[in-house]
Amino acid sequence: MEQQIEATLSGTDSEIDGILQSITYGNFTKAYEFKSIDGTLHLIIAKDNDGEWIRLTGTEPYLSSWIDELAEQVSSLK
C-alpha cells in the first residue's frame, strides 16, 4: 500500500481536507493523487520532463494554485 498523508488545499471559500498519496499513473511512475474527504475534489499531479509540476487529471473546475500547494505537501511523503 502506498504511503498517504492528510493534506489541505486552500479553497475559494474554505479549506479542503483530503488524503494525498503517491501513485503510478500512465507513464508517470511517481504521480501524486489528492482526494478530498467529502469526495468533491480529485487531482493527480506529477513532474513533467522539465521538472515542473503539472496537473494530469482531476475534477473541474480547479485552482491552478492547488498544484503548487500539493507539490509542497509531497515532500511529507518522502
Side-chain angles (χ1 to χ4, degrees):
M1 182 173 166
E2 297 290 345
Q3 180 185 5
Q4 44 182 292
I5 62 165
E6 292 181 10
T8 301
L9 296 176
S10 301
T12 54
D13 297 328
S14 62
E15 291 186 335
I16 302 166
D17 296 321
I19 301 295
L20 178 64
Q21 67 179 356
S22 173
I23 64 168
T24 299
Y25 184 83
N27 294 331
F28 294 89
T29 56
K30 216 41 159 161
Y32 297 89
E33 178 179 49
F34 175 85
K35 290 183 182 178
S36 66
I37 300 296
D38 65 6
T40 60
L41 180 62
H42 178 241
L43 292 173
I44 297 177
I45 66 168
K47 283 189 178 182
D48 65 12
N49 291 335
D50 297 324
E52 299 293 322
W53 287 100
I54 57 170
R55 175 183 175 268
L56 300 177
T57 190
T59 52
E60 296 281 346
Y62 77 99
L63 298 176
S64 59
S65 62
W66 288 341
I67 297 168
D68 294 331
E69 286 184 53
L70 287 177
E72 287 178 20
Q73 296 178 61
V74 161
S75 63
S76 298
L77 288 171
K78 296 180 179 180

